[in-house]
Structure formats: C-alpha cells, structure tokens
Amino acid sequence: MAAAGIAPLLPGVLPGTASAAEAAASDRPDFPLVRGGVATAVFVDTADDPAVVRAAGDLPADIERVSGLRPRLLHTLPTRAPYLVLVGTLGSSPVIDRLVAERRLDVSGVRGRWEASVTQVVERPVPGVDRALVIAGSDRRGTVYGVYDTSERIGVSPWYWWADVPVVHRDTVAVPAGPLKRREPSVRYRGVFINDEQNLTTWSRRTQEPDKNIGPETYKRVFELLLRLKANYLWPAMHPYSDFFNKHRDNPELADRYGIVVGSSHPEALLRNGVHEWEPWAKDHPGADGTLPVYDYTVNPGVISEYWRARARQNASYESSWTLGMRGLHDTALETKYATTIPEKVVVMNDIIADQRRILAEEVGAAAEPQIFIPYKEVLDLYNAGVRVPDDVTLIWPDDNHGNMRQLPNEAERVRAGGNGIYYHLSYWGRPRSYLWLDTTQLSKVWQELRRVYEHGVDRMWIFNVGDVKSIETGLSFSMDMAWDVDRWNADNVEDFVAQWAGRLFGRRHGPEIAAIRTEYYRLAAERRPEFIDRGMFSVVHHGDEAGRRTAAYERLLERVRALGAELPEAYRDAFYELVEYPVHGAYLMNLKYYWADRNALAVRQGRGAGTNRFADLAEAAHAEEAAITKRYNTEVAGGKWDGIVNPYPSQIPKAPGRPAVTRVARQETSGLGVAAEGNDTGAARPLSFSSYTRDRRFVDVFNTGFLSVDWAAETGQPWIRLSATGGSVTEQTRVWVEIDWAGVPEGAHESTVVVTGAGQRFEVPVRVVNDGERARRRARGFVEANGYVSIDAAHFEQRVARGGSRWRTVRGLGRRTGAMEAVPSTAAPVTGDFAARAPELRYRVRFASAGTFPVTVFRLPSLDERGHRRIAVALDDQPVTVLSGQSVATGNRGDAWARNVEEGIEKLTATVTVAAPGEHVLRLFMVDPAIAVDQIVVDTGGLPATYLAPPESYHPVFNPEPFLEAEWEKLL
C-alpha cells in the first residue's frame, strides 16, 4: 500500500490506554523503532526469566512484520547506539534495577504488583546509548505483556496469525515517549478451556503435527495468542480424540517457558486426564485378584491417591493450577459405590480434598498454588450440602453452560483467602442443546454476567470455554479485555468494543460498520442461536411471516457484509471472511434452509403443486451453499491454512442442524388455484387486520395446486385497499401484499374483502380496518393498542424511577431488540413489599382501545440465582402489584422451563391487568430481585396468535412512529 492510502487502515489506540493503563502526555519526540532504513536493536538479559527472553525475541519479529526490517536481539549491552529497546523484569534484570535505583525509571504503582509494567523512554540509560525505550515488568508476565502491548501499538494484532489479520507496512515505526503504565489486572488468572475440540484436533493433525493430535507446535501458537490477549491460564484439550496434555512432555515445559499457568477442568483432578490416563494406570495397578480398579474413591482410594501423586510429582517444578475434588471419568458424575446419600457423598468429597491437599504439600510444597475447587453440576449440590473447602482454595463458580451464572459467593465466601473465580461458557456441548460452531453469545450478555460476578467479589480466576478457539475470536477478545480491566466497558458503551476492536483489525473507518453488523448478528442469535434452529420454530403465517422477516434480516445483513468486504483491500479478505463474513453467511444459511423447509411443509398442508417442490429445492440449495462456504473456509481461505478447523457437522461431537427433511409431490399435468391469507395455515378464516397507527401490510398467498400455469385476478371491496398485484399467471405461487390508502379511508371501523378468482374458483379474504384518523395518531403520547395487542420494547420507557439505592439501567445490545433494562446494582437487597415506595420502577404510557382483563407477558432474560429468586412485579396504574417468579435454578434437563429459557434466550412471565376503561394508562414494572433484565412486554387484548417472537412493537410517536417501514422484505417468496 502507498503510505498516503493507509491512514484509514492504521490501528487505533491500544486497548486499555484510557483506563487499565496510564499514559502520560509527553512533549518529547516519539521513540523510533525503525527510521531511515535502520531498526533499533532489542536487549534482554539472559539472566531474566525464560518467558521474558522468549517474548523479547518476538518484538523484533513484530517490528519486521510492520517495516520489513528485523532488529537485532542482543543479550549484551552495545558499546555505542543512538537508540535501544531495553526489556527486563524488576529484580531479574540488572540494567533495569539500576535505572530504578537511580530514579530514572518510575515504577510507582508497578513494583510489587501482579503483572504490571511500565514503558518509558529514558535518556542516556547506559554508557554509549543515547536513548532507550524501557519495557519493565513487575514480574515475568508483566514484562511479557509490556512487550506484546508494544507490538500491538505498532499495528500487530494479537490475531495476526490465528485470524490472518494483515499488518500495515510502514517505513517509519515509532511509539510515544510515554511513560505508559499498565496497572495490575482486575482478575488475577485469566484463561481458556479448549474443549469439545474435534475440529481443532483435525486441523492440528492436518496442518501442524501429522504425528500428534494437538501437540507442542499447536500449543506454541495457543500460548502466544493467550499472552498477546493478556491471558495467563489454560485448561488444555482433554477429549478422546486429542492427545492429553502431559503425553508430550514438551507441552508443560513449553507452557512454563512461555509463562502460561496450566490447570485442568472439573473432571481432571490434579492435572490428570481421566479419559486417557486412568485405564493405563489401572492396568498397571491391578487388584490382588487381578481385576482392574475402578475410578471410585470409596472402592480404591489408595490406587487413586497414588495416581494423583504421580502427576503432582511429575509437574511439581512448573507453575500450575491444581484442581481439587473429583468427578467421574470424562465429565461424568462422581461414582461412589459405598456412599449413596448426599451426606455420605459429602464425607467422601471432604476425604478426597484432604488427601489431595496432603499430596500437594508433600510433592509440590508452597508452590502448589493456586488450588481450585469447581462445584460443577452435581458437585455444586454436594458443596451446598456441606463440603469443606479449605480457606486458601479458590472456589470456581460455574455458569449453567449457557452464559447464566448459577450462583455467586455469599458474604462469607467473598472474604475467603483463596478468593473466587468463574467457569464460563462461550461454547458448549451438552443439554439441552450444544453450540459449538459459531460465536453467538451477545457481548452485552457476557458483559452483564461478568460485571455481576465482579461486583460479587469474583476476581481471582476467570476461565472461558472456547471450544476450538477459532470462531470465538470476538467473544474471547472481549472476555480477556474485560478480565484485564473490568471497568473499561459499561452498559452505555459495551457495543463500542467491537467498533474499536474491528477498527484495529480492519482500519478505523470500517470499525463502526463491522460493529453494527456484529451487533445485528448477535441480536438475531439472541432470538435463536443458529445451532438451535429446528422445524416449526418461527411462524410462517403470522405477523407478516415471522420466519420470513427474520430470514430477510439475515439477508440484509449479508448484503452489508458483502458491500463492506468489497471495499477492503485484498490483503484483508481472509481475515474478513473468518471474522465477519463466514459467521453471518453461515448463520443466514442455517436459518434459510429451515425457513424454506417450513414453507415446504406448509405448502404440503395447503395442497400446493409446483410450489411445494420449489420450496424443497430452495431448502436443499441453502444446505448445499452452507457446505460450499465451509469448504471455502477450510480449503481456500489463507491458502488452505485452516483445513478442518470449521465443521458444523463433526463426527464425534454434537452437530449443528443438518439438512432438513422436505417433501416433494409428483408432477401432474393439472392446475388449480389456492389462496392462504396471513394468519391462516389454509384459507382465510382469520381476517386481515389493519390499524391507522401501525399502518400494517399483510399478505395473501396465491398458489397453484398443480403444475400447469393458471390465470388469476384479484379485486378489492373498497378503492382504498391496495394490492401489490391484481392478477396474472401463476405456476408456483405469488405473494400479494395488501395495504391501505389511509388518506382515503373514512374514520371508524370498516369491514371489506379482497376477492381472488381463477380456474373457476372464487376466494374471499375478509379485511378489517380501524382508522382513528391522523389527528388521533399525532396526539398519541405512548404506545397504542392495535390489532389485539400492545407490544413494547422495555428500553422504550416513559419514565424510570430510582428508589432505595437501586435503579433500572439500559444495557445496549442486550436481548432480542436494541437493548434491555437491568435492575442494578446486582448486590442490592430484594424488595418484597411496598413496591411503589421502595422498588425502582419503569413506567410505560399505553393507550388502550378496549377494556377488560388482559394477559401481560414480561420477556425477561434468563438469569439464575440458585440460592435466591428471580422475581419482578407488574401493575397497571395504581392497581395492586403482581409479583412474577422466574426460573432461578439450572436443572440440566431437556424440555423443562430452564431448557426452554436457554434455548429461546428469554423467559416469558405472565400476569393479568385490568383495563377498566379505554384510554391512557400507565403500565408499571418494579424490581423485586436485583440483576434481573427485561427485554419486551406484551399485552394481549384479544386474539393475539401464539408465536415464537413477540409481535412487532406497537406504534409510539417517538420510539416507533412508522412500525412497518423496516419490513422491506417482500422479495422473499
């Protein structure tokens, strides 16, 4: 690229410089890393930690990526140099310590802190050197992060290798004189769990290590990525199709040399991988009668204890995290033949922990930290029943595998010396459904839960399940960013993360559009993850074809993706495909093929002819296109670098929804006319309804019951009823849109018809129109009932009232619409009475056209609290308040309330309100329990059909003055 053309593509400011770090203004000139064809050498003392020496070697490589010139890496100070980069750790680098002693390097706020660092220009730091850029860390990882921060500041993304993000070439490379201080992180241990990793294993074997199933060469790449993201912790791959981490002894040695703390997941006590390691151990330690011992501590405590001891001894010299407790082999429940009750199992777990602690004390000593206990699934029940976890052990609280924290530490647990951590899923295999293919958890949802856990004192360890690593790039980047500086993002700016992140990857001018695309992509996934799609989820007959509107939203999104992609230079196409295009296109096609399959099933019920087969063809074509784009990812993108990394349909783990079954009808040389009006599976018994507030648009499907073309014609009962087509010849089907010319409709309620004729048949579609007049529309002050309902986006409140130190806040980008309302702070006490005086409140002005007692449904996001409740209260005007109780416990079962909530991403809580007389009223929402979030509110005033999504938002003069202008999607059949 020519220098003049790259300005919009240059990386933005390093993330965190505004809050996690302190950058002091300086009037001194920038420090040159490359200038005039000369690269500044990098010095690191070999006496420093090996992790620092290794990372210092990456800095010259990164400078070369930017400039084409590779600086020398020095281990002895030069006798003469105008510029020099000095890398070192306090207490481990004599030259750094000398600068501190001479008070020429300011380490206040850095020395003695966890993983902190300072980058500062020092004049004449050592004899013969005029000027130095000093990168000094409080400990080894602090220095490493300082090095990689410098790389990112000059334009090398942490994702340069893992997502093929190009590095913009510059002949002159410099950094500000500083100083820049990076304070210690919000969370001490921040890392990932590589899990359900079949695709990563396939890719690794094909492209990295043909003789291994994830080995040292792959882990080198993983370790480097983690450090560039400022992570420090890893639970390695553990499934049967992967080599267990300690099989290759290079793995733990490499981790230590990189500075990565290695731990193990909840079923892998003391770094033992039961999937691979127990059976060989059992064969080598048979019982006296020759039988193999089972993995049951109540049966074989001695054999199991020695099994753990061997690994503790083997890995004693490495910086490790030690998982205490026990579960069954390969993520199964704890086996206790001789302990059948909960109290008996609690005793066994206490004995296990005591034994493991003794092993660690004897084999590892004081270095055996951190030690963690993970009350996952059935172990949480045992913990709550009385398992004694030593005070210096970190409690790792699990979510429900779908991003909802099950419970958080109470006051006593928050003050434990070992502190608290979380195990959080960005990817998951298990009940009720798995999501392993794409990154589909809203960042605002992640933010909401992580903010909540931090407010409850959970700051010792955050571990994220990231599946195969690839496809979770955005979610992982955000999670690590937040773990480093939990205060950087808030309810008002969380959506801005993607704009800044994408701006650093693709150029600042493209960041906002990529952020808008990802926000809509996440919103659609919040309605239903693409991995959760199934037959008949979304209605194809109600609300203007609910499923079609959703599919069209995906299509519009893909059009934006392609338009943006066409603007990018060729060098960015691979990264753009991996990070933006493939996720959007893949999610679209997954929805599209099921949409056409549902239209196919409906066509069968309606007795369509050629159109039935047309829908079947479209469904199968969408599935074929999905396979084609996945093949492109694996075989063409980045020259085939990612062969096998993306596969919606792996052989050994749960698959994304595959090819939906479709029905075809045999061709017959016949024709016939059929009609199905919106709101009806067949026929037109349910009238088309129109309101002058919402200015609706409805459809009538005109179709052929055979295969030979048939002529049809349509006419309206009133001149103010408009049709998108009034006749023609149809072989398959035609969708006719019906609208109202509101300027020509007399005020009042009217009934009319649309009549369709052809092939000797006549179909009459009833039409109901209510016109309150333009004056009434202009004078409306709130949401207006129409078509039998009131639908409200919770963020569109008339007024919010804070009370008792609590309030409602808007969280942008959360939920199924543009944002949700959350009751905060999350640590507030519940309000269980006198709501109008004590509880924070949301008020919504509503104009009802009818009177009666009506169901009101609050759509809340399915947060949990297994020690408490998830309640909210609703009232109309000054009427009595009704408290609604949501699901607070994660059952882990299929088909129950919890399963439905996590599949749908919301929980519907319903009460009734009584409208004594038509007119304006105030719908009131009160907090009962804190940290509860509300997405939408729907009042059914009569005849609202049951659909997956809430109906389109009602007319509101400010928030939604033109409800149907967004529905430009009629090009779908």
Side-chain angles (χ1 to χ4, degrees):
M1 293 182 190
I6 66 171
L9 299 173
L10 292 179
V13 176
L14 176 71
T17 54
S19 48
E22 292 180 3
S26 174
D27 56 2
R28 292 187 294 166
D30 290 350
F31 184 87
L33 296 173
V34 175
R35 187 170 65 185
V38 177
T40 299
V42 177
F43 166 82
V44 63
D45 198 312
T46 54
D48 214 318
D49 190 273
V52 173
V53 176
R54 190 212 59 79
D58 279 351
L59 184 56
D62 287 340
I63 293 171
E64 183 181 23
R65 290 184 176 100
V66 178
S67 67
L69 297 176
R70 191 182 190 97
R72 291 182 300 152
L73 180 64
L74 305 177
H75 299 301
T76 58
L77 289 168
T79 57
R80 181 75 187 97
Y83 301 104
L84 184 67
V85 178
L86 293 175
V87 177
T89 307
L90 300 178
S92 297
S93 174
V95 65
I96 298 293
D97 290 342
R98 186 164 57 249
L99 290 174
V100 175
E102 296 171 354
R103 297 187 177 181
R104 304 179 65 200
L105 180 65
D106 179 10
V107 294
S108 59
V110 173
R111 191 206 302 267
R113 303 300 178 90
W114 179 265
E115 298 178 346
S117 64
V118 59
T119 299
Q120 177 183 328
V121 172
V122 177
E123 308 295 336
R124 296 179 296 282
V126 295
V129 176
D130 297 335
R131 204 167 183 233
L133 179 71
V134 179
I135 303 172
S138 62
D139 53 28
R140 65 174 183 163
R141 279 189 294 272
T143 309
V144 170
Y145 298 144
V147 168
Y148 284 134
D149 272 0
T150 302
S151 294
E152 191 167 5
R153 293 171 84 194
I154 65 173
V156 179
S157 168
W159 294 99
Y160 80 93
W161 193 88
W162 277 96
D164 302 298
V165 175
V167 178
V168 176
H169 177 83
R170 282 179 283 171
D171 292 330
T172 298
V173 183
V175 294
L180 173 65
K181 288 185 179 178
R182 301 169 191 86
R183 302 299 186 183
E184 62 184 359
S186 300
V187 179
R188 175 159 290 203
Y189 293 100
R190 312 163 304 280
V192 304
F193 180 21
I194 298 175
N195 193 216
D196 314 318
E197 67 279 359
Q198 185 183 349
N199 290 343
L200 184 70
T201 304
T202 301
W203 166 81
S204 174
R205 191 173 185 88
R206 287 180 182 176
T207 68
Q208 302 299 300
E209 300 157 285
D211 60 333
K212 298 179 179 68
N213 295 312
I214 305 183
E217 294 305 311
T218 303
Y219 279 117
K220 285 180 185 177
R221 296 292 187 182
V222 172
F223 297 155
E224 181 189 335
L225 174 66
L226 291 178
L227 293 172
R228 287 181 183 268
L229 293 173
K230 298 192 190 68
N232 58 13
Y233 186 50
L234 173 72
W235 289 354
M238 51 77 72
H239 273 287
Y241 32 78
S242 300
D243 293 339
F244 65 97
F245 188 74
N246 283 280
K247 176 180 180 179
H248 308 297
R249 292 307 299 171
D250 285 352
N251 285 340
E253 295 167 5
L254 277 169
D256 202 58
R257 184 154 62 87
Y258 275 73
I260 295 295
V261 180
V262 176
S264 54
S265 64
H266 43 89
E268 302 178 278
L270 269 60
L271 300 179
R272 276 294 195 179
N273 182 300
V275 175
H276 292 279
E277 298 189 89
W278 173 251
E279 185 177 352
W281 182 270
K283 288 180 179 178
D284 290 342
H285 298 80
D289 59 356
T291 59
L292 300 185
V294 296
Y295 194 64
D296 182 336
Y297 197 81
T298 68
V299 178
N300 298 295
V303 176
I304 294 171
S305 181
E306 287 305 308
Y307 170 70
W308 290 331
R309 183 179 294 274
R311 178 52 40 76
R313 182 182 300 123
Q314 187 180 38
N315 284 33
S317 63
Y318 304 130
E319 188 179 7
S320 303
S321 165
W322 303 92
T323 298
L324 305 182
M326 188 176 183
R327 296 192 73 222
L329 296 175
H330 198 183
D331 204 6
T332 57
L334 176 69
E335 293 185 37
T336 50
K337 181 178 181 180
Y338 298 117
T340 57
T341 67
I342 291 291
E344 290 172 340
K345 292 180 180 181
V346 167
V347 172
V348 172
M349 187 65 76
N350 286 335
D351 290 343
I352 289 169
I353 293 173
D355 188 13
Q356 292 168 336
R357 295 269 287 180
R358 184 166 50 251
I359 290 169
L360 291 174
E362 293 169 356
E363 300 295 342
V364 186
E369 62 176 15
Q371 297 174 27
I372 67 174
F373 179 77
I374 313 165
Y376 185 77
K377 290 191 175 179
E378 82 285 345
V379 179
L380 180 61
D381 296 331
L382 299 184
Y383 172 79
N384 288 334
V387 168
R388 295 188 302 273
V389 179
D391 189 65
D392 61 337
V393 173
T394 304
L395 294 173
I396 305 297
W397 301 96
D399 68 349
D400 66 343
N401 308 312
H402 292 262
N404 307 295
M405 294 306 300
R406 295 179 62 172
Q407 70 182 48
L408 293 171
N410 58 29
E411 186 175 349
E413 290 158 341
R414 285 197 289 271
V415 299
R416 299 173 73 260
N420 295 270
I422 59 167
Y423 169 38
Y424 194 87
H425 288 76
L426 299 174
S427 173
Y428 176 63
W429 167 5
R431 296 178 180 176
R433 293 176 188 254
S434 306
Y435 54 103
L436 303 168
W437 176 38
L438 300 174
D439 172 16
T440 52
T441 303
Q442 283 181 311
L443 299 190
S444 295
K445 171 67 174 179
V446 176
W447 175 84
Q448 179 198 21
E449 289 294 304
L450 297 186
R451 184 72 227 180
R452 179 182 167 211
V453 303
Y454 193 81
E455 289 171 353
H456 280 77
V458 181
D459 61 0
R460 191 60 56 90
M461 181 179 290
W462 288 2
I463 184 83
F464 297 90
N465 189 317
V466 296
D468 293 305
V469 181
K470 285 293 285 180
S471 91
I472 308 292
E473 298 95 340
T474 309
L476 174 56
S477 294
F478 177 74
S479 299
M480 290 299 105
D481 206 53
M482 197 167 172
W484 184 267
D485 179 12
V486 75
D487 293 322
R488 176 162 174 74
W489 305 106
N490 58 53
D492 295 325
N493 69 10
V494 61
E495 285 185 301
D496 297 339
F497 167 82
V498 177
Q500 293 189 22
W501 183 71
R504 293 193 299 273
L505 303 184
F506 298 102
R508 290 190 297 269
R509 67 186 172 99
H510 298 304
E513 176 64 359
I514 293 174
I517 289 168
R518 286 294 292 195
T519 296
E520 175 68 354
Y521 162 81
Y522 283 128
R523 187 194 68 79
L524 291 166
E527 292 181 345
R528 190 85 179 183
R529 294 186 195 266
E531 296 93 339
F532 294 178
I533 292 299
D534 208 339
R535 297 298 297 268
M537 297 305 311
F538 297 92
S539 174
V540 293
V541 299
H542 294 300
H543 301 315
D545 187 350
E546 176 184 72
R549 295 179 68 186
R550 171 178 164 84
T551 306
Y554 266 118
E555 186 171 18
R556 291 194 301 270
L557 193 61
L558 183 59
E559 289 172 355
R560 292 176 67 178
V561 168
R562 287 170 168 163
L564 177 57
E567 296 180 12
L568 292 173
E570 185 64 32
Y572 289 83
R573 298 294 171 83
D574 289 339
F576 187 76
Y577 191 81
E578 296 168 42
L579 298 176
V580 182
E581 184 172 349
Y582 179 83
V584 171
H585 200 174
Y588 165 57
L589 292 172
M590 187 67 71
N591 281 270
L592 183 65
K593 67 186 180 183
Y594 275 84
Y595 172 64
W596 292 131
D598 285 346
R599 292 288 300 273
N600 169 257
L602 178 63
V604 172
R605 296 195 298 273
Q606 292 173 338
R608 301 192 191 194
T612 302
N613 296 348
R614 172 66 170 160
F615 291 137
D617 292 343
L618 289 168
E620 297 199 337
H623 182 76
E625 187 176 359
E626 177 199 289
I629 67 169
T630 299
K631 181 179 179 181
R632 176 186 169 190
Y633 197 133
N634 289 317
T635 62
E636 298 178 24
V637 169
K641 173 182 176 180
W642 299 112
D643 188 9
I645 198 68
V646 172
N647 182 4
Y649 314 109
S651 61
Q652 298 182 56
I653 61 176
K655 303 166 179 57
R659 178 188 287 110
V662 292
T663 301
R664 285 184 167 80
V665 294
R667 179 179 177 86
Q668 296 181 355
E669 301 302 308
T670 60
S671 64
L673 192 66
V675 166
E678 178 177 333
N680 301 273
D681 263 19
T682 59
R686 186 185 184 100
L688 302 181
S689 60
F690 298 85
S691 165
S692 57
Y693 292 101
T694 49
R695 294 178 177 174
D696 316 277
R697 175 167 40 190
R698 308 295 185 192
F699 68 83
V700 175
D701 281 343
V702 178
F703 57 84
N704 193 336
T705 60
F707 287 78
L708 301 178
S709 64
V710 59
D711 293 334
W712 65 279
E715 59 182 17
T716 64
Q718 294 290 343
W720 34 259
I721 301 176
R722 293 177 173 176
L723 305 179
S724 62
T726 57
S729 179
V730 61
T731 302
E732 295 172 352
Q733 54 259 319
T734 295
R735 176 156 284 182
V736 179
W737 290 99
V738 184
E739 295 182 273
I740 304 300
D741 177 8
W742 293 104
V745 184
E747 291 189 13
H750 307 276
E751 295 193 4
S752 187
T753 57
V754 173
V755 176
V756 181
T757 57
Q761 295 173 288
R762 184 179 186 277
F763 300 91
E764 192 170 287
V765 179
V767 175
R768 292 178 180 171
V769 178
V770 177
N771 183 14
D772 282 355
E774 186 60 28
R775 183 180 177 186
R777 195 173 193 269
R778 288 196 306 267
R779 293 176 62 185
R781 296 193 295 166
F783 291 96
V784 179
E785 175 196 348
N787 301 320
Y789 68 84
V790 180
S791 181
I792 301 169
D793 289 0
H796 293 163
F797 53 85
E798 179 85 10
Q799 185 180 6
R800 56 180 162 183
V801 181
R803 294 190 181 105
S806 299
R807 62 187 177 89
W808 288 94
R809 71 178 171 197
T810 306
V811 183
R812 289 171 46 193
L814 180 63
R816 292 176 167 187
R817 300 295 292 171
T818 59
M821 301 304 298
E822 181 189 21
V824 293
S826 66
T827 53
V831 179
T832 56
D834 196 12
F835 298 103
R838 298 177 52 217
E841 177 184 352
L842 292 170
R843 296 175 181 172
Y844 302 88
R845 190 187 300 271
V846 179
R847 179 191 290 180
F848 287 98
S850 53
T853 298
F854 305 127
V856 55
T857 300
V858 177
F859 289 56
R860 80 155 190 116
L861 302 183
S863 56
L864 301 172
D865 183 355
E866 299 200 359
R867 287 170 166 166
H869 305 277
R870 310 305 293 140
R871 297 165 298 184
I872 196 167
V874 63
L876 186 70
D877 301 325
D878 294 323
Q879 295 176 14
V881 172
T882 301
V883 175
L884 304 173
S885 293
Q887 181 76 14
S888 62
V889 176
T891 61
N893 300 323
R894 290 188 175 94
D896 64 7
W898 168 82
R900 183 173 60 253
N901 293 349
V902 297
E903 288 175 343
E904 297 184 2
I906 53 95
E907 181 177 25
K908 299 176 183 177
L909 305 177
T910 299
T912 59
V913 294
T914 298
V915 178
E920 287 195 355
H921 297 265
V922 176
L923 186 64
R924 308 172 71 184
L925 212 59
F926 299 95
M927 180 198 91
V928 179
D929 293 306
I932 197 166
V934 179
D935 192 25
Q936 292 168 289
I937 308 161
V938 175
V939 184
D940 179 0
T941 59
L944 181 66
T947 55
Y948 180 88
L949 299 176
E953 189 177 31
S954 297
Y955 171 82
H956 189 286
V958 175
F959 297 120
N960 199 24
E962 300 292 342
F964 271 78
L965 285 185
E966 62 175 325
E968 299 296 335
W969 43 270
E970 57 265 40
K971 60 183 174 181
L972 283 170
L973 289 176

